[in-house]
Every structure is written in structure tokens, then in C-alpha cells.
Amino acid sequence: MLEQFKELAAAYCPESATLSRGSTVERRLSQLRDVFGDPAAVDLLLERDDPVLYRVMAIEPADGPGDLHLGLGILYPGKVGGEYFLTKGHLHTTREAAEVYIGLAGDGVMLLEDEAGGNVRMEPLGSGKLVYVPGHTAHRTINTGSEPLTYFGVYPANAGHDYGAIAERNFTHVVIEIDGQPTLRKRKDVFPNG
Ligand code: PAN
Ligand code: ZN
């Protein structure tokens, strides 16, 4: 972990919010078509372009017990079908694994929803903001601003990502702009067919 952290610290460029080495995962709009409440609006946009919505850069840990994983996320600004650009969202495969998000730049929120869907909340994530994601909590990042939203995510290296549960039922709530403010609403009230 110490070696990994040293590598990460050396590779991190705060000006561009990138790592000069390590792995990168890139997600495009077409890969999130069914995550948005209005897939028809996504299809319309896709006729012109398939933009990258976000990237996650990481230097992989040794994966031993007690190690931490550090990922650097960059989520671009934009909207489709009334929703802000967002990440797929997931639960950790090891359900009890928690995570800390450290906001570096931009403006956004995190949508947190416990596994049963009963406790839903939206927490600000942006420059200088910290968000604690407890275990058993699905989490999604949303860019509500006009600049890229960048953040570190720190979590146990053995947490794993379970996208399946979210792909099946999605989050029960969405964040949309009302009177210029990011606002939490029940999905079925905003997208009765979504
Ligand atoms: C983050 C996420 C990152 C991308 O590093 O992986 O924000 O979101 P998705 O993984 O949902 O596409 C994290 O929470 N890791 O556990
Ligand atoms: Zn996570």
C-alpha cells in the first residue's frame, strides 16, 4: 500500500486531475443508455455523438488484506433527458466495504441508497467536500455543474464492484434540476415509464 500510494502521489497531476500512469476505465454515453430515465433522449443524442461521460484512473494495489484502492474519477458535465451526466453506480461485492470520496474540483452530488432502497439521500461532492459511503449502500456520482467533477475514491482493495443489482432495478430516485437547484425526486414521479 505504501509503495502504491507513493506511486500514485508521484503520478497525480492536480492541474489536469489525471494520473500519468496506471489503468484507465472509460465509459461512454452508449454504455449508460438504460441507466438514464429517458433512453429515447439518449438515442437522439447518440445519432450525433457518443461522448465519454467519465473516466476512472487507478494504480492497482497489491490486493493483500488491509490494502486500500485509490481511484481518480473525472465525470464530465452535461445533461440528457433532463438528467445530469452520472456514473453507472454500484454496490460493493463485499457488501460491508465502505468508501470515502474526496472531492477535488467541480460541483456535484452523490446519490446514496441503502441496499433495500429505504434510505435515500443526496450529498454534495465537489472541491473540498468529503462523502462517506457506508457498507451496503449503492452509490452514484452526478455532475451538477458546468466543469469536470474530479474526485478520489478510497476503499478496501477487496471491495469489488457489483453492477448487476443496480442494472436490474436502477436507483429509486433521480437528481434533476428544479429552479436551478439539483433536486432529489422519486424516479417514478419523473419518469413514469423509465
Ligand atoms: C468509484 C467509481 C467511479 C465510477 O471509483 O468506480 O466513480 O463509477 P462506477 O464504478 O459506478 O461506474 C467507486 O465507487 N469505486 O468503488
Ligand atoms: Zn464504490
Side-chain angles (χ1 to χ4, degrees):
M1 178 62 202
L2 183 59
E3 283 314 308
Q4 181 223 357
F5 188 78
K6 280 185 189 163
E7 274 185 60
L8 187 130
Y12 175 53
C13 172
E15 287 75 31
S16 58
T18 55
L19 298 180
S20 59
R21 55 175 298 274
S23 63
T24 301
V25 172
E26 197 172 81
R27 300 272 182 229
R28 290 182 181 272
L29 179 64
S30 55
Q31 295 170 286
L32 279 90
R33 179 185 181 276
D34 299 317
V35 170
F36 288 101
D38 186 354
V42 175
D43 289 340
L44 213 59
L45 219 156
L46 284 173
E47 284 175 17
R48 280 183 284 134
D49 194 18
D50 187 10
V52 172
L53 298 197
Y54 61 97
R55 292 191 173 90
V56 184
M57 285 161 270
I59 295 175
E60 296 304 326
D63 217 8
D67 266 346
L68 294 174
H69 187 288
L70 293 93
L72 175 62
I74 177 161
L75 172 60
Y76 295 98
K79 270 189 189 166
V80 58
E83 279 182 284
Y84 304 101
F85 283 181
L86 43 71
T87 60
K88 285 170 86 166
H90 58 268
L91 285 150
H92 292 147
T93 312
T94 303
R95 288 291 195 266
E96 59 268 30
E99 180 163 359
V100 171
Y101 273 70
I102 304 165
L104 300 170
D107 286 304
V109 295
M110 288 200 67
L111 183 55
L112 304 180
E113 184 169 309
D114 72 16
E115 210 173 349
N119 182 3
V120 182
R121 58 207 186 277
M122 177 179 84
E123 296 200 7
L125 178 71
S127 177
K129 300 266 194 260
L130 296 179
V131 177
Y132 181 77
V133 181
H136 297 273
T137 305
H139 43 291
R140 166 172 286 166
T141 311
I142 301 173
N143 187 334
T144 60
S146 53
E147 302 294 326
L149 173 67
T150 58
Y151 53 90
F152 274 122
V154 186
Y155 52 96
N158 66 356
H161 294 88
D162 176 2
Y163 294 101
I166 294 304
E168 258 177 41
R169 62 164 173 82
N170 215 335
F171 284 68
T172 61
H173 285 60
V174 293
V175 177
I176 54 167
E177 188 175 301
I178 298 180
D179 297 332
Q181 292 303 315
T183 308
L184 188 64
R185 284 281 181 269
K186 281 187 183 151
R187 175 177 300 278
K188 64 178 170 50
D189 291 347
V190 180
F191 299 110
N193 306 314

